Every structure is written in structure tokens, then in C-alpha cells.
Amino acid sequence: MTGLDPLIHAPTRLQLVTTLSGVSEAEFATLRTALEVSDSVLSKHVSALVDAGYLHSRKGVHAGRRTTWVGLTPVGRRALHEHVAAVRRLIDAVE
């Protein structure tokens, strides 16, 4: 069905982009805790979504520690909205 995005359909990636949809950006450690995944798992998903242009990431210092901040790009936000609309169409077809 048109609109389903295989790049963000995987559960962890979908949780990641929906979590980021409510904020301008979030700290990597905060996302790791919220999604209950390891650093390596989150890093892999973030990298794939950055490569696709759905996320941006930047390095910085917070409370004296180096950290990575991650946020949705306009392209990523649009992809999420289109994916959600496609899922809603599927749900409506069941009812």
C-alpha cells in the first residue's frame, strides 16, 4: 500500500521518530532510555535515518559531558505523517 515507509516501519525506528515528533531534538541518552535499547542498537537506527535524511544529529557538551543530540528533519516529519496516514487507512479498511 502506498504511503507505508519501510524505513520507519520497524518498531524501534517508528518509536524513535514518534518520540522525536514532539520535540525539536533529544539527547541520545534520553532516547536510549525511552526506547529501552542499547547504545549500539540506537546508533544503528539513528545512522540509517540520518543517511535517509529523516534525522539530523549534532555533537555537543551537556553538563560537562560530550553528547549527541538527534532531531527530525522536515523530510522525516513528512515521512512520519505519510506513514501514519497509511496505517490509518489500513485500520479503516478493517473496520
Side-chain angles (χ1 to χ4, degrees):
M1 171 174 260
T2 303
L4 287 176
D5 188 330
L7 189 61
I8 61 173
H9 190 71
T12 300
R13 289 186 186 172
L14 187 56
Q15 287 178 299
L16 175 57
V17 295
T18 57
T19 298
L20 289 169
S21 70
V23 297
S24 59
E25 58 184 8
E27 191 176 8
F28 186 92
T30 301
L31 293 168
R32 181 192 61 225
T33 300
L35 300 178
E36 299 179 338
V37 296
S38 67
D39 284 355
S40 62
V41 167
L42 181 55
S43 181
K44 179 180 173 184
H45 289 304
V46 167
S47 292
L49 293 168
V50 166
D51 290 347
Y54 287 9
L55 299 182
H56 66 85
S57 69
R58 66 177 178 86
K59 303 282 185 189
V61 177
H62 179 70
R65 293 185 3 247
R66 289 185 44 83
T67 189
T68 300
W69 294 86
V70 180
L72 271 176
T73 65
V75 170
R77 195 169 298 278
R78 189 168 38 259
L80 174 60
H81 287 288
E82 290 172 7
H83 185 79
V84 168
V87 170
R88 284 188 177 132
R89 287 192 298 276
L90 285 173
I91 292 167
D92 289 344
V94 172
E95 297 172 351

Coordinates of all heavy atoms in Angstrom, one line a residue:
M1 N 0.8 -1.2 0.0 CA 0.0 0.0 0.0 C 0.9 1.2 0.0 O 1.9 1.3 0.7 CB -0.9 0.0 1.2 CG -1.7 1.3 1.4 SD -2.8 1.2 2.7 CE -4.3 1.0 1.8
T2 N 0.5 2.2 -0.8 CA 1.3 3.4 -0.9 C 1.3 4.2 0.4 O 0.2 4.2 1.1 CB 0.7 4.3 -2.0 OG1 0.7 3.6 -3.2 CG2 1.4 5.6 -2.2
G3 N 2.4 4.7 0.8 CA 2.5 5.5 2.0 C 3.2 4.9 3.1 O 3.7 5.5 4.0
L4 N 3.1 3.5 3.2 CA 3.9 2.8 4.2 C 5.4 3.0 3.9 O 5.8 2.7 2.8 CB 3.5 1.3 4.3 CG 2.1 1.0 4.9 CD1 1.9 -0.5 4.8 CD2 2.0 1.5 6.3
D5 N 6.1 3.4 4.9 CA 7.5 3.6 4.7 C 8.3 2.5 5.4 O 8.4 2.5 6.6 CB 7.9 5.0 5.3 CG 9.3 5.4 4.9 OD1 10.2 4.6 4.8 OD2 9.5 6.6 4.9
P6 N 8.9 1.6 4.6 CA 9.7 0.5 5.2 C 10.8 1.0 6.1 O 11.2 0.3 7.0 CB 10.1 -0.3 4.0 CG 10.0 0.6 2.8 CD 9.0 1.6 3.1
L7 N 11.3 2.2 5.8 CA 12.5 2.7 6.6 C 12.1 3.0 8.0 O 12.9 2.8 8.9 CB 13.1 3.9 5.9 CG 14.4 4.4 6.5 CD1 15.5 3.3 6.4 CD2 14.9 5.6 5.8
I8 N 10.9 3.5 8.2 CA 10.4 3.8 9.6 C 9.4 2.8 10.1 O 8.9 3.0 11.3 CB 9.9 5.3 9.7 CG1 8.7 5.5 8.8 CG2 11.0 6.2 9.4 CD1 8.1 6.9 9.0
H9 N 9.1 1.8 9.4 CA 8.0 0.9 9.8 C 8.5 -0.1 11.0 O 7.7 -0.5 11.8 CB 7.5 0.0 8.7 CG 6.3 -0.8 9.0 ND1 5.1 -0.2 9.2 CD2 6.2 -2.1 9.2 CE1 4.2 -1.1 9.5 NE2 4.8 -2.3 9.5
A10 N 9.8 -0.3 11.0 CA 10.4 -1.2 12.0 C 10.0 -0.6 13.4 O 10.1 0.6 13.6 CB 11.9 -1.3 11.9
P11 N 9.6 -1.4 14.4 CA 9.1 -0.9 15.7 C 10.1 0.1 16.3 O 9.6 1.2 16.8 CB 8.9 -2.1 16.5 CG 8.6 -3.2 15.5 CD 9.5 -2.9 14.3
T12 N 11.3 -0.2 16.4 CA 12.2 0.7 17.1 C 12.4 2.0 16.4 O 12.4 3.1 17.0 CB 13.6 0.1 17.3 OG1 13.5 -1.1 18.1 CG2 14.6 1.0 18.0
R13 N 12.4 2.0 15.1 CA 12.5 3.2 14.3 C 11.3 4.0 14.4 O 11.3 5.3 14.5 CB 12.9 2.9 12.8 CG 14.3 2.4 12.7 CD 14.7 2.3 11.3 NE 16.0 1.7 11.2 CZ 16.6 1.3 10.1 NH1 15.9 1.4 8.9 NH2 17.7 0.7 10.1
L14 N 10.1 3.4 14.4 CA 8.8 4.1 14.5 C 8.7 4.7 15.8 O 8.3 5.9 16.0 CB 7.7 3.1 14.3 CG 6.3 3.7 14.2 CD1 6.2 4.8 13.1 CD2 5.3 2.6 13.9
Q15 N 9.2 4.0 16.9 CA 9.2 4.6 18.2 C 10.1 5.8 18.3 O 9.8 6.9 18.9 CB 9.6 3.6 19.3 CG 8.6 2.6 19.6 CD 9.1 1.6 20.6 OE1 10.1 0.9 20.4 NE2 8.5 1.5 21.8
L16 N 11.3 5.7 17.6 CA 12.2 6.8 17.6 C 11.7 8.0 16.9 O 11.7 9.1 17.5 CB 13.5 6.3 16.9 CG 14.6 7.3 16.7 CD1 15.1 8.0 18.0 CD2 15.8 6.7 15.9
V17 N 11.1 7.9 15.8 CA 10.6 9.1 15.1 C 9.4 9.7 15.7 O 9.2 10.9 15.8 CB 10.4 8.9 13.5 CG1 11.7 8.6 12.8 CG2 9.4 7.8 13.3
T18 N 8.5 8.8 16.3 CA 7.4 9.3 17.0 C 7.8 10.1 18.3 O 7.2 11.1 18.6 CB 6.3 8.3 17.3 OG1 6.9 7.2 18.1 CG2 5.7 7.7 16.1
T19 N 8.8 9.5 19.0 CA 9.3 10.2 20.2 C 9.8 11.6 19.8 O 9.6 12.6 20.5 CB 10.4 9.4 20.8 OG1 9.8 8.1 21.3 CG2 11.0 10.1 22.0
L20 N 10.6 11.7 18.7 CA 11.2 12.9 18.3 C 10.1 13.9 17.7 O 10.4 15.1 17.6 CB 12.3 12.7 17.2 CG 13.5 12.0 17.8 CD1 14.5 11.6 16.7 CD2 14.2 13.0 18.8
S21 N 9.0 13.4 17.3 CA 8.0 14.3 16.7 C 7.5 15.3 17.6 O 7.0 16.4 17.2 CB 6.8 13.5 16.1 OG 6.0 12.9 17.1
G22 N 7.6 15.1 18.9 CA 7.1 16.1 19.9 C 8.1 17.1 20.4 O 7.7 17.9 21.2
V23 N 9.3 17.0 19.9 CA 10.4 17.9 20.4 C 11.2 18.3 19.3 O 11.2 17.7 18.2 CB 11.3 17.1 21.5 CG1 10.5 16.8 22.7 CG2 12.0 15.9 20.9
S24 N 12.0 19.4 19.5 CA 12.9 19.9 18.4 C 14.1 18.9 18.2 O 14.5 18.6 17.1 CB 13.3 21.3 18.6 OG 14.0 21.4 19.9
E25 N 14.6 18.4 19.4 CA 15.6 17.4 19.4 C 15.7 16.8 20.8 O 15.2 17.4 21.7 CB 17.0 17.9 18.9 CG 17.5 19.1 19.7 CD 18.8 19.6 19.1 OE1 19.2 19.2 18.0 OE2 19.4 20.5 19.7
A26 N 16.4 15.7 20.9 CA 16.5 15.0 22.2 C 18.0 14.5 22.3 O 18.6 14.1 21.3 CB 15.5 13.9 22.3
E27 N 18.4 14.3 23.5 CA 19.7 13.8 23.8 C 19.7 12.3 23.5 O 18.8 11.6 23.9 CB 20.1 14.1 25.2 CG 21.6 13.8 25.5 CD 21.9 14.3 26.9 OE1 21.1 14.7 27.7 OE2 23.1 14.2 27.2
F28 N 20.8 11.8 23.0 CA 21.0 10.4 22.7 C 20.6 9.5 23.9 O 19.9 8.5 23.8 CB 22.4 10.1 22.2 CG 22.6 8.7 21.7 CD1 22.4 8.4 20.3 CD2 23.0 7.7 22.5 CE1 22.6 7.1 19.9 CE2 23.2 6.4 22.1 CZ 23.0 6.1 20.7
A29 N 21.2 9.8 25.0 CA 21.0 9.0 26.2 C 19.5 9.0 26.6 O 19.0 8.0 27.1 CB 21.8 9.5 27.4
T30 N 18.8 10.1 26.5 CA 17.4 10.2 26.8 C 16.6 9.2 25.9 O 15.7 8.5 26.3 CB 16.9 11.6 26.6 OG1 17.6 12.4 27.6 CG2 15.4 11.7 26.9
L31 N 17.0 9.3 24.6 CA 16.3 8.4 23.6 C 16.6 6.9 23.9 O 15.7 6.1 23.9 CB 16.7 8.7 22.2 CG 16.3 10.1 21.7 CD1 17.0 10.4 20.4 CD2 14.8 10.1 21.5
R32 N 17.8 6.6 24.3 CA 18.2 5.2 24.6 C 17.3 4.7 25.8 O 16.8 3.6 25.7 CB 19.7 5.2 25.0 CG 20.1 3.8 25.3 CD 21.5 3.8 26.0 NE 21.5 4.6 27.2 CZ 22.4 5.5 27.5 NH1 23.4 5.7 26.8 NH2 22.3 6.1 28.7
T33 N 17.2 5.5 26.8 CA 16.4 5.2 27.9 C 14.9 5.0 27.6 O 14.2 4.1 28.0 CB 16.5 6.2 29.1 OG1 17.9 6.3 29.4 CG2 15.7 5.9 30.3
A34 N 14.4 6.0 26.8 CA 13.0 6.0 26.5 C 12.6 4.7 25.6 O 11.6 4.1 25.8 CB 12.6 7.2 25.7
L35 N 13.5 4.4 24.7 CA 13.3 3.2 23.8 C 13.7 1.9 24.4 O 13.4 0.8 23.8 CB 14.0 3.5 22.5 CG 13.6 4.7 21.7 CD1 14.4 4.9 20.4 CD2 12.1 4.7 21.4
E36 N 14.5 1.9 25.5 CA 15.0 0.7 26.2 C 15.8 -0.1 25.2 O 15.5 -1.3 25.1 CB 13.8 -0.1 26.8 CG 13.0 0.7 27.8 CD 11.9 -0.1 28.4 OE1 11.4 -1.0 27.8 OE2 11.4 0.3 29.5
V37 N 16.8 0.5 24.6 CA 17.7 -0.2 23.7 C 19.1 0.2 24.1 O 19.4 1.1 24.8 CB 17.4 0.2 22.2 CG1 16.1 -0.3 21.7 CG2 17.6 1.7 22.0
S38 N 20.1 -0.6 23.5 CA 21.5 -0.4 23.8 C 22.0 0.8 23.0 O 21.3 1.2 22.0 CB 22.3 -1.6 23.5 OG 22.3 -1.9 22.1
D39 N 23.1 1.3 23.3 CA 23.8 2.4 22.5 C 23.9 1.9 21.1 O 23.7 2.7 20.2 CB 25.1 2.7 23.1 CG 25.1 3.6 24.3 OD1 23.9 4.0 24.7 OD2 26.1 3.9 24.9
S40 N 24.4 0.7 20.9 CA 24.7 0.2 19.5 C 23.5 0.1 18.7 O 23.5 0.4 17.5 CB 25.5 -1.1 19.6 OG 24.8 -2.1 20.2
V41 N 22.4 -0.4 19.3 CA 21.1 -0.5 18.5 C 20.6 0.9 18.2 O 20.2 1.1 17.0 CB 20.1 -1.3 19.4 CG1 18.7 -1.2 18.8 CG2 20.5 -2.8 19.5
L42 N 20.6 1.8 19.1 CA 20.1 3.1 18.8 C 21.0 3.8 17.8 O 20.5 4.4 16.8 CB 20.0 4.0 20.1 CG 19.5 5.4 19.9 CD1 18.1 5.4 19.2 CD2 19.4 6.1 21.2
S43 N 22.3 3.7 17.9 CA 23.2 4.3 17.0 C 23.0 3.8 15.5 O 23.0 4.5 14.6 CB 24.6 4.0 17.4 OG 25.6 4.6 16.5
K44 N 22.7 2.5 15.4 CA 22.5 1.9 14.1 C 21.2 2.5 13.5 O 21.2 2.9 12.3 CB 22.3 0.4 14.2 CG 22.0 -0.3 12.9 CD 21.9 -1.8 13.2 CE 21.4 -2.5 11.9 NZ 21.2 -3.9 12.1
H45 N 20.1 2.6 14.3 CA 18.9 3.2 13.7 C 19.0 4.7 13.4 O 18.5 5.1 12.4 CB 17.8 2.9 14.7 CG 17.3 1.5 14.8 ND1 17.0 0.7 13.7 CD2 17.3 0.6 15.9 CE1 16.6 -0.5 14.1 NE2 16.8 -0.6 15.4
V46 N 19.7 5.4 14.3 CA 19.9 6.8 14.1 C 20.7 7.0 12.8 O 20.4 7.8 11.9 CB 20.6 7.5 15.3 CG1 21.1 8.9 14.9 CG2 19.6 7.6 16.4
S47 N 21.8 6.2 12.6 CA 22.6 6.4 11.4 C 21.8 6.1 10.1 O 21.9 6.8 9.1 CB 23.8 5.4 11.5 OG 24.7 5.8 12.5
A48 N 21.0 5.1 10.1 CA 20.2 4.8 8.9 C 19.2 5.9 8.6 O 19.0 6.3 7.5 CB 19.4 3.5 9.2
L49 N 18.6 6.5 9.7 CA 17.6 7.5 9.4 C 18.3 8.9 9.1 O 17.8 9.7 8.3 CB 16.7 7.7 10.7 CG 15.8 6.5 10.9 CD1 15.1 6.6 12.3 CD2 14.8 6.4 9.8
V50 N 19.5 9.1 9.6 CA 20.3 10.3 9.2 C 20.7 10.1 7.7 O 20.6 11.1 6.9 CB 21.6 10.4 10.1 CG1 22.5 11.4 9.4 CG2 21.2 10.9 11.5
D51 N 21.2 8.9 7.3 CA 21.5 8.7 5.9 C 20.4 8.9 5.0 O 20.6 9.4 3.8 CB 22.1 7.3 5.7 CG 23.4 7.1 6.4 OD1 24.1 8.1 6.8 OD2 23.8 5.9 6.5
A52 N 19.2 8.6 5.4 CA 18.0 8.8 4.6 C 17.5 10.3 4.6 O 16.6 10.6 3.9 CB 16.8 7.9 5.1
G53 N 18.1 11.1 5.5 CA 17.6 12.5 5.6 C 16.5 12.7 6.5 O 15.9 13.8 6.5
Y54 N 16.1 11.7 7.3 CA 14.9 11.8 8.2 C 15.3 12.4 9.5 O 14.5 13.0 10.2 CB 14.3 10.4 8.4 CG 13.5 9.8 7.2 CD1 13.6 10.4 6.0 CD2 12.8 8.7 7.4 CE1 12.9 9.9 4.9 CE2 12.1 8.1 6.3 CZ 12.1 8.7 5.1 OH 11.4 8.1 4.1
L55 N 16.5 12.2 9.9 CA 17.0 12.8 11.2 C 18.3 13.6 10.9 O 19.0 13.4 10.0 CB 17.4 11.7 12.2 CG 16.3 10.7 12.6 CD1 16.9 9.7 13.6 CD2 15.1 11.4 13.2
H56 N 18.5 14.5 11.9 CA 19.8 15.2 11.9 C 20.4 14.9 13.3 O 19.7 14.6 14.2 CB 19.7 16.7 11.7 CG 18.9 17.4 12.8 ND1 19.5 17.8 14.0 CD2 17.6 17.7 12.9 CE1 18.6 18.4 14.7 NE2 17.4 18.3 14.1
S57 N 21.7 14.9 13.4 CA 22.4 14.7 14.7 C 23.5 15.7 14.8 O 24.1 16.1 13.8 CB 22.9 13.3 14.9 OG 24.0 13.0 14.0
R58 N 23.8 16.1 16.0 CA 24.9 17.0 16.2 C 25.5 16.7 17.6 O 24.9 16.2 18.5 CB 24.4 18.5 16.2 CG 23.5 18.8 17.4 CD 23.1 20.3 17.4 NE 22.2 20.6 18.5 CZ 22.6 20.9 19.7 NH1 23.8 20.9 20.0 NH2 21.6 21.1 20.6
K59 N 26.8 16.9 17.6 CA 27.6 16.6 18.9 C 27.6 17.9 19.7 O 27.6 19.0 19.1 CB 29.0 16.2 18.5 CG 29.1 15.0 17.6 CD 28.9 13.7 18.4 CE 29.1 12.5 17.5 NZ 28.7 11.3 18.1
G60 N 27.7 17.8 21.0 CA 27.7 18.9 21.8 C 28.2 18.5 23.2 O 28.5 17.4 23.5
V61 N 28.2 19.5 24.1 CA 28.6 19.2 25.5 C 27.4 19.6 26.4 O 26.8 20.7 26.2 CB 29.8 20.0 25.9 CG1 30.1 19.8 27.4 CG2 31.0 19.7 25.0
H62 N 27.0 18.7 27.3 CA 25.9 19.0 28.2 C 26.3 18.5 29.6 O 26.8 17.4 29.8 CB 24.7 18.2 27.7 CG 23.5 18.4 28.6 ND1 22.8 19.5 28.7 CD2 22.9 17.5 29.5 CE1 21.8 19.4 29.6 NE2 21.8 18.2 30.1
A63 N 26.2 19.4 30.5 CA 26.7 19.2 31.9 C 28.1 18.6 32.0 O 28.4 17.7 32.7 CB 25.7 18.2 32.6
G64 N 29.0 19.2 31.1 CA 30.4 18.8 31.1 C 30.7 17.5 30.4 O 31.8 17.1 30.4
R65 N 29.7 16.9 29.8 CA 29.9 15.6 29.1 C 29.6 15.8 27.6 O 28.7 16.5 27.2 CB 28.9 14.6 29.6 CG 29.1 14.1 31.0 CD 28.2 13.0 31.4 NE 27.3 12.5 30.4 CZ 26.0 12.6 30.4 NH1 25.3 13.2 31.4 NH2 25.2 12.1 29.4
R66 N 30.4 15.1 26.8 CA 30.1 15.1 25.3 C 28.8 14.3 25.1 O 28.6 13.3 25.7 CB 31.2 14.5 24.5 CG 32.5 15.3 24.5 CD 33.6 14.7 23.6 NE 33.1 14.2 22.3 CZ 32.9 14.9 21.2 NH1 33.1 16.2 21.2 NH2 32.6 14.4 20.1
T67 N 27.9 14.8 24.3 CA 26.7 14.1 24.0 C 26.3 14.3 22.5 O 26.8 15.2 21.9 CB 25.6 14.6 24.9 OG1 24.4 13.7 24.8 CG2 25.2 16.0 24.7
T68 N 25.3 13.6 22.1 CA 24.8 13.7 20.7 C 23.3 14.1 20.9 O 22.6 13.5 21.7 CB 24.9 12.4 20.0 OG1 26.3 12.0 19.9 CG2 24.4 12.5 18.6
W69 N 22.9 15.0 20.1 CA 21.5 15.5 20.0 C 21.0 15.0 18.7 O 21.6 15.1 17.6 CB 21.4 17.0 20.2 CG 21.9 17.4 21.5 CD1 23.2 17.7 21.9 CD2 21.1 17.6 22.6 NE1 23.2 18.1 23.2 CE2 21.9 18.1 23.7 CE3 19.7 17.5 22.9 CZ2 21.4 18.4 25.0 CZ3 19.2 17.8 24.1 CH2 20.1 18.2 25.2
V70 N 19.7 14.5 18.7 CA 19.1 14.0 17.5 C 17.7 14.7 17.3 O 17.0 14.9 18.3 CB 18.9 12.5 17.6 CG1 18.2 11.9 16.4 CG2 20.2 11.8 17.9
G71 N 17.4 15.0 16.1 CA 16.1 15.6 15.8 C 15.5 15.2 14.5 O 16.3 14.7 13.6
L72 N 14.2 15.3 14.3 CA 13.6 15.0 13.0 C 13.9 16.2 12.0 O 13.9 17.3 12.4 CB 12.1 14.9 13.1 CG 11.4 13.6 13.5 CD1 9.9 13.8 13.7 CD2 11.7 12.6 12.4
T73 N 14.1 15.9 10.8 CA 14.2 16.9 9.7 C 12.8 17.1 9.2 O 11.9 16.3 9.4 CB 15.1 16.4 8.6 OG1 14.5 15.3 8.0 CG2 16.5 16.1 9.1
P74 N 12.6 18.2 8.4 CA 11.3 18.3 7.7 C 10.9 17.1 6.9 O 9.8 16.7 6.8 CB 11.5 19.6 6.9 CG 12.5 20.4 7.7 CD 13.4 19.3 8.2
V75 N 11.9 16.5 6.2 CA 11.7 15.3 5.4 C 11.2 14.2 6.3 O 10.3 13.4 5.9 CB 12.9 14.9 4.6 CG1 12.8 13.6 3.9 CG2 13.2 16.0 3.6
G76 N 11.8 14.0 7.4 CA 11.5 12.9 8.3 C 10.1 13.1 8.9 O 9.3 12.2 9.1
R77 N 9.8 14.4 9.2 CA 8.4 14.7 9.8 C 7.4 14.4 8.8 O 6.3 13.8 9.1 CB 8.4 16.2 10.2 CG 7.2 16.5 11.1 CD 7.4 17.9 11.7 NE 8.6 18.0 12.6 CZ 8.6 17.6 13.8 NH1 7.6 17.1 14.4 NH2 9.7 17.8 14.5
R78 N 7.6 14.7 7.5 CA 6.7 14.5 6.4 C 6.5 13.0 6.2 O 5.4 12.4 6.1 CB 7.1 15.2 5.1 CG 6.1 15.1 4.0 CD 6.5 16.1 2.9 NE 7.9 16.2 2.5 CZ 8.7 17.2 2.9 NH1 8.3 18.2 3.6 NH2 10.0 17.2 2.5
A79 N 7.6 12.2 6.2 CA 7.6 10.8 6.1 C 6.8 10.1 7.2 O 6.0 9.2 7.0 CB 9.0 10.2 6.0
L80 N 6.9 10.6 8.4 CA 6.2 10.1 9.6 C 4.7 10.3 9.4 O 3.9 9.4 9.5 CB 6.7 10.7 10.9 CG 5.8 10.3 12.1 CD1 5.8 8.8 12.3 CD2 6.3 11.0 13.3
H81 N 4.3 11.5 9.0 CA 2.9 11.9 8.8 C 2.3 11.0 7.7 O 1.2 10.5 7.8 CB 2.7 13.3 8.5 CG 2.9 14.2 9.7 ND1 2.0 14.3 10.7 CD2 3.9 15.0 10.0 CE1 2.4 15.1 11.7 NE2 3.6 15.6 11.3
E82 N 3.0 10.8 6.6 CA 2.5 10.0 5.5 C 2.4 8.5 5.9 O 1.4 7.8 5.6 CB 3.4 10.1 4.3 CG 3.3 11.4 3.6 CD 4.4 11.6 2.5 OE1 5.1 10.7 2.2 OE2 4.5 12.8 2.0
H83 N 3.4 8.0 6.7 CA 3.3 6.6 7.2 C 2.1 6.4 8.1 O 1.4 5.5 8.0 CB 4.6 6.3 7.9 CG 4.7 4.9 8.4 ND1 5.0 3.9 7.5 CD2 4.5 4.3 9.6 CE1 5.0 2.7 8.2 NE2 4.7 3.0 9.4
V84 N 1.9 7.4 9.0 CA 0.7 7.3 10.0 C -0.6 7.3 9.2 O -1.5 6.5 9.5 CB 0.8 8.4 11.0 CG1 -0.5 8.5 11.8 CG2 2.0 8.2 12.0
A85 N -0.7 8.2 8.2 CA -1.9 8.2 7.4 C -2.1 6.9 6.7 O -3.3 6.4 6.6 CB -1.8 9.4 6.4
A86 N -1.1 6.3 6.2 CA -1.2 5.0 5.5 C -1.7 3.9 6.5 O -2.5 3.1 6.2 CB 0.1 4.6 4.9
V87 N -1.1 3.9 7.7 CA -1.5 2.9 8.7 C -3.0 3.2 9.1 O -3.8 2.2 9.2 CB -0.6 3.0 10.0 CG1 -1.2 2.2 11.1 CG2 0.8 2.6 9.6
R88 N -3.4 4.4 9.2 CA -4.8 4.7 9.5 C -5.8 4.2 8.4 O -6.8 3.7 8.7 CB -5.0 6.2 9.7 CG -4.5 6.7 11.0 CD -4.9 8.2 11.2 NE -4.5 8.5 12.6 CZ -3.8 9.7 12.8 NH1 -3.5 10.5 11.9 NH2 -3.4 9.9 14.1
R89 N -5.3 4.3 7.1 CA -6.1 3.8 6.0 C -6.3 2.3 6.1 O -7.3 1.7 5.9 CB -5.5 4.2 4.7 CG -5.7 5.6 4.3 CD -5.4 5.9 2.8 NE -4.0 5.6 2.5 CZ -2.9 6.5 2.7 NH1 -3.2 7.7 3.2 NH2 -1.7 6.1 2.4
L90 N -5.2 1.6 6.5 CA -5.3 0.1 6.7 C -6.2 -0.2 7.9 O -7.0 -1.1 7.7 CB -3.9 -0.4 7.1 CG -2.9 -0.5 5.9 CD1 -1.5 -0.9 6.5 CD2 -3.4 -1.5 4.9
I91 N -6.2 0.5 8.9 CA -7.1 0.3 10.1 C -8.5 0.5 9.7 O -9.4 -0.3 10.0 CB -6.7 1.2 11.3 CG1 -5.3 0.7 11.8 CG2 -7.8 1.1 12.4 CD1 -4.7 1.7 12.8
D92 N -8.7 1.6 8.9 CA -10.1 1.9 8.5 C -10.7 0.8 7.6 O -11.9 0.5 7.6 CB -10.2 3.2 7.7 CG -10.0 4.4 8.7 OD1 -10.1 4.2 9.9 OD2 -9.7 5.5 8.2
A93 N -9.8 0.1 6.8 CA -10.2 -0.9 5.9 C -10.7 -2.2 6.7 O -11.5 -2.9 6.2 CB -9.1 -1.3 4.9
V94 N -10.1 -2.3 7.9 CA -10.5 -3.5 8.7 C -11.9 -3.2 9.4 O -12.7 -4.2 9.5 CB -9.4 -3.7 9.8 CG1 -9.9 -4.8 10.8 CG2 -8.1 -4.1 9.2
E95 N -12.1 -2.0 9.7 CA -13.4 -1.7 10.4 C -14.5 -1.7 9.5 O -15.3 -1.9 9.0 CB -13.3 -0.4 11.2 CG -12.2 -0.4 12.2 CD -11.9 0.9 12.8 OE1 -12.4 1.9 12.3 OE2 -11.2 1.0 13.8

